[in-house]
Amino acid sequence: MSDLTNIVVMPSLMGLGILLGQVKSGLKPKHLEFLLINIMAPILMFAEIFKADLSGLTLGNIVLLSVTYVGFCFGVSYLSSKKFNTKELGTVVINSTFFNNIFLPFPLIYAFYGDLSAALLFSLPTMILHNTVGVFLASYWGHGKFEKKVLTRAVTYPPLLGFLLGFLARPVIPGFVETAAFYWLHQFGLMTVYLSLIFVGMILPLSKESLLIFTNRVTGIITVNRLLISPVIALILAVIFIPTEAVRNTLLIMSLMPPAVTNLMIISRFDLDVKSTCQSLFVPTLLSVAAVFVLRGLAVI
């Protein structure tokens, strides 16, 4: 699709999700989340990594770049909130460090470039860290202890399994990518990038309170960390690592992403600041998408 079409279609899908989230219908966010996480995202991961041209991508460097980026985000968010009480500190760090690494950036990256190879490799370490370190920290700051079942859930995370299966299957059945079966499997997986936008819209907590993000110091710091500090970190790392254009663009888009929508469930589970997390999702998500389109229009990404 052209950039002009994307500007119309992508916000429209998010708007549809917001509308569905406000009306009473049989479709609930948890239903769409189950479909995306357990079926469609794993298929997308499998198909994309199976067909990906990895010759120009250095897996180790991208993983190191991804982990370093998350580490810097963690350090900055911790320093910016260490004077807060434990629950506020945990809320700031979780939402500033662990961002939307699939549901929002994948549609944007695919719409712009038609390829998710770099995005898959970059998001995989952040996905693992989010489901291990992120949940461990939320459990510690919220309940004062670590949840022991986190590691099991992390290593059996369906998108991760889909990625690993596709990566391992590449040398075993190389001709599969040319078959009709793979074509239809891939097309089904690609529906994830569009349904993800609807899901993001459905789960965004729209209310009068969610529009006043800077009336709450916790929400304000999260928003500044994600939309201002995070891109600065990305630019610094781009200078240090000198990645390919595809990896650089992926890094910049990822750095502009808002807190992960799944953070709300994690924050709620461990009794951290749900109100601030809700506020850090709605407006920052809209600002994130707008910022990405502006940078695209300026030919920065």
Side-chain angles (χ1 to χ4, degrees), residues 213-267:
I213 59 174
F214 289 110
T215 60
N216 181 334
R217 62 175 184 169
V218 173
T219 307
I221 290 178
I222 293 170
T223 303
V224 170
N225 284 342
R226 284 302 326 149
L227 297 184
L228 292 178
I229 305 301
S230 170
V232 171
I233 292 173
L235 289 172
I236 293 172
L237 292 180
V239 172
I240 296 173
F241 281 81
I242 316 177
T244 64
E245 184 178 1
V247 176
R248 171 188 166 276
N249 290 342
T250 295
L251 171 61
L252 291 177
I253 291 175
M254 292 286 190
S255 73
L256 284 164
M257 290 298 98
V261 292
T262 51
N263 283 357
L264 184 56
M265 291 174 274
I266 295 174
I267 293 294

Side-chain angles (χ1 to χ4, degrees), residues 38-175:
N38 294 285
I39 300 176
M40 301 194 70
I43 290 175
L44 176 66
M45 291 282 193
F46 172 88
E48 283 291 324
I49 198 62
F50 189 93
K51 75 175 187 64
D53 179 9
L54 302 179
S55 58
L57 300 174
T58 305
L59 178 60
N61 286 347
I62 297 177
V63 170
L64 179 61
L65 175 61
S66 178
V67 172
T68 303
Y69 165 74
V70 172
F72 271 103
C73 287
F74 172 85
V76 169
S77 62
Y78 183 83
L79 290 175
S80 67
S81 57
K82 64 179 183 178
K83 294 183 179 180
F84 289 174
N85 64 49
T86 301
K87 291 187 181 296
E88 290 177 331
L89 183 148
T91 301
V92 170
V93 172
I94 296 298
N95 287 308
S96 299
T97 305
F98 302 105
F99 54 97
N100 194 321
N101 57 25
I102 295 181
F103 295 129
L104 195 57
F106 276 23
L108 292 167
I109 292 170
Y110 187 79
F112 292 152
Y113 312 115
D115 181 61
L116 290 171
S117 302
L120 287 175
L121 296 179
F122 186 88
S123 68
L124 189 66
T126 67
M127 186 191 309
I128 295 173
L129 290 171
H130 189 188
N131 287 283
T132 52
V133 176
V135 179
F136 274 128
L137 291 175
S139 175
Y140 177 73
W141 281 319
H143 291 170
K145 60 182 180 181
F146 291 113
E147 190 173 89
K148 298 179 180 179
K149 297 180 180 180
V150 169
L151 187 59
T152 301
R153 287 199 298 269
V155 298
T156 58
Y157 191 55
L160 173 60
L161 295 179
F163 176 94
L164 294 176
L165 183 60
F167 187 79
L168 294 175
R170 285 168 60 95
V172 179
I173 46 175

Side-chain angles (χ1 to χ4, degrees), residues 168-189:
L168 294 175
R170 285 168 60 95
V172 179
I173 46 175
F176 181 52
V177 73
E178 305 296 334
T179 66
F182 179 84
Y183 172 81
W184 289 110
L185 184 71
H186 185 219
Q187 293 304 305
F188 180 76

Side-chain angles (χ1 to χ4, degrees), residues 196-222:
S196 292
L197 293 171
I198 296 176
F199 172 70
V200 170
M202 289 182 69
I203 202 170
L204 289 180
L206 173 60
S207 66
K208 291 181 179 180
E209 192 174 63
S210 68
L211 300 176
L212 304 174
I213 59 174
F214 289 110
T215 60
N216 181 334
R217 62 175 184 169
V218 173
T219 307
I221 290 178
I222 293 170

